[in-house]
Amino acid sequence: MLMTPLQKLQEQFSSQITETHAFRGDETAVIRPEALKAVAQFLKETPELDFNFLMDLSAVDYLFFAGGRIQKPFRFEVVYHFYSLKHNYRIRIKVPVDEKQAEVDSLCDLWASANWYEREVWDMFGIKFKGHPNLKRILMYEEFQGHPLRKDYPYNKRQPLIGPTY
Amino acid sequence: MSLSSPSGFFTSSLKHALGWARKFSIFQYPFVTACCGMEYMATNCAHYDQDRFGAGFPRFSPRQSDVLFVVGTISHKMAPVLKTVYDQMCEPKWVVAFGVCTCTGGFYDNYATVMGIDTIIPVDIYIPGCPPRPENVLDGLMKLQDKIQRGEQSRTLYDPHTKKGRPAELQGSYTIENHIKHIESH
Ligand code: SF4
């Protein structure tokens, strides 16, 4: 029987995958942060998978998740969406990230498009990417303090460059 | 009205003539940053035809323009650029706030958006609307022409703490809290 990308991944990295989810071909794997680089390399370089396109890279802040009713053991999750142009496969990889040590490996050397995505995640959530060639803010200005999409950043706290503060 | 005292007759009529000439030869600088730009283009195109008012010629150089059209959301990152463009324009100059984002910040109440460009540069004409219809824009343009004819220019900024310097109709801007209250009252 033909194996789905998720099944192939499970076969190879069974000890590194903490959770999976699949619904009508929409597949997700939650993996341990230390395995990210190896998993990414496997997805990209295995010919029968050939995930050559990093479609999206984003993050989620689980502080106050579901109004504070659901407590997760980690604060952030970095989410990767991969696509294989050749096989028309999609897969979603999630990596839990701790608040105190908010750092994951950079995927810039595998997919060049990760460069700006990772800068955006750093800018908005303050998650560092180890090995990124140029990790600086991309949307906000250098003078900006804090990371605006963190849930503990007051949504209307303004830091104007010129003009009154209000 | 005697020629021996030229001050009264000549200055007043010269001012009038200058105002008349200026109001029908508006060279605008379109500072277009967001969705309002589409409506600005609609106003400028043949159907609504801003050119009928002598304002059909956008100049993309601040030195050669005398009305700054600020069209679209201004972020805090963009604010210094807008101020520089305004400062580079030669006198006499006027500013039109096009769209509610530029008037008050509109429905944005967040870390990124300037809550009204009148906190940074003086605004002569406010055209609220999200986006304003071309009729609205032409109405604002005619109000601007009246202002130019009278030789008036705005020189004051809005102070968000004292709430002075902005038309009363634009006060009480959108906030998330007000919005929730509004929804709950229905
Ligand atoms: S006022 Fe509305 S249409 Fe205009 S820039 Fe703001 S959001 Fe866009």
Side-chain angles (χ1 to χ4, degrees):
Chain A
M1 201 197 106
L2 203 65
M3 279 166 89
T4 68
L6 184 63
Q7 285 163 343
K8 284 215 181 73
L9 200 65
Q10 271 174 315
E11 191 185 64
Q12 189 78 13
F13 293 96
S14 56
S15 62
Q16 305 291 353
I17 296 176
T18 52
E19 208 183 319
T20 60
H21 180 258
F23 178 72
R24 293 188 182 163
D26 182 9
E27 300 180 323
T28 306
V30 184
I31 61 166
R32 293 185 204 287
E34 40 308 345
L36 173 65
K37 219 41 196 276
V39 168
Q41 199 145 11
F42 175 76
L43 290 176
K44 185 167 186 215
E45 288 167 7
T46 311
E48 58 269 27
L49 294 176
D50 198 11
F51 282 98
N52 52 359
F53 186 5
L54 171 61
M55 296 193 74
D56 198 8
L57 192 174
S58 187
V60 183
D61 183 356
Y62 282 105
L63 191 73
F64 315 132
F65 183 49
R69 288 190 303 278
I70 300 176
Q71 296 274 334
K72 295 233 177 193
F74 48 86
R75 176 158 174 195
F76 302 104
E77 208 163 48
V78 181
V79 186
Y80 300 83
H81 288 199
F82 296 108
Y83 181 59
S84 163
L85 286 165
K86 193 164 164 206
H87 305 293
N88 190 20
Y89 288 156
R90 289 168 201 274
I91 194 163
R92 183 189 297 126
I93 302 290
K94 293 184 179 182
V95 181
V97 180
D98 194 43
E99 181 179 0
K100 284 197 198 70
Q101 216 194 332
E103 189 170 60
V104 289
D105 285 323
S106 167
L107 299 185
C108 282
D109 43 356
L110 289 168
W111 291 273
S113 62
N115 190 319
W116 282 16
Y117 285 140
E118 289 177 354
R119 281 176 65 188
E120 186 187 355
V121 171
W122 156 248
D123 192 357
M124 294 289 128
F125 292 93
I127 297 170
K128 288 206 189 85
F129 289 88
K130 210 188 296 162
H132 191 288
N134 180 29
L135 193 64
K136 56 176 194 184
R137 290 188 182 277
I138 190 168
L139 297 174
M140 305 311 290
Y141 28 96
E142 282 303 318
E143 294 85 346
F144 196 85
Q145 304 276 323
H147 301 281
L149 291 195
R150 285 193 171 199
K151 294 294 175 198
D152 51 3
Y153 187 93
Y155 72 87
N156 58 359
K157 182 179 168 202
R158 293 178 248 276
Q159 303 181 36
L161 285 171
I162 58 167
T165 310
Y166 48 95
Chain B
M1 220 202 294
S2 81
L3 287 179
S4 58
S5 69
S7 52
F9 180 77
F10 270 120
T11 47
S12 64
S13 75
L14 188 62
K15 195 178 151 202
H16 186 85
L18 268 180
W20 182 85
R22 278 179 184 146
K23 79 172 180 181
F24 289 120
S25 62
I26 293 173
F27 280 23
Q28 7 141 0
Y29 183 103
F31 195 95
V32 179
T33 57
C35 18
C36 268
M38 304 319 281
E39 219 65 9
Y40 172 81
M41 291 170 220
T43 319
N44 230 348
C45 285
H47 191 83
Y48 290 96
D49 197 9
Q50 242 181 36
D51 210 2
R52 291 179 291 156
F53 303 88
F57 194 23
R59 305 308 302 246
F60 292 97
S61 148
R63 300 268 187 229
Q64 297 172 351
S65 46
D66 39 33
V67 174
L68 178 61
F69 268 75
V70 187
V71 184
T73 326
I74 299 295
S75 62
H76 287 302
K77 198 176 179 181
M78 191 54 121
V81 181
L82 178 65
K83 178 86 167 82
T84 308
V85 168
Y86 175 78
D87 288 342
Q88 282 175 336
M89 287 169 65
C90 299
E91 289 286 351
K93 57 187 172 188
W94 292 269
V95 177
V96 174
F98 187 122
V100 78
C101 281
T102 53
C103 294
T104 66
F107 51 75
Y108 293 110
D109 183 13
N110 60 24
Y111 61 92
T113 308
V114 176
M115 302 304 277
I117 57 159
D118 49 5
T119 56
I120 322 167
I121 56 176
V123 172
D124 289 282
I125 297 290
Y126 296 83
I127 309 176
C130 181
R133 281 195 57 85
E135 293 89 337
N136 248 353
V137 180
L138 294 180
D139 186 45
L141 188 67
M142 287 191 283
K143 290 207 165 66
L144 177 71
Q145 286 183 319
D146 293 345
K147 206 165 175 179
I148 295 175
Q149 174 72 73
R150 293 198 301 274
E152 287 172 11
Q153 277 169 279
S154 174
R155 294 289 184 204
T156 50
L157 295 178
Y158 173 60
D159 184 345
H161 300 292
T162 61
K163 307 235 181 288
K164 284 207 179 72
R166 184 182 281 173
E169 295 88 332
L170 291 171
Q171 300 278 4
S173 70
Y174 178 93
T175 62
I176 301 277
E177 285 81 9
N178 286 347
H179 184 68
I180 292 170
K181 263 187 232 145
H182 177 79
I183 290 172
E184 283 172 352
S185 71
H186 281 73

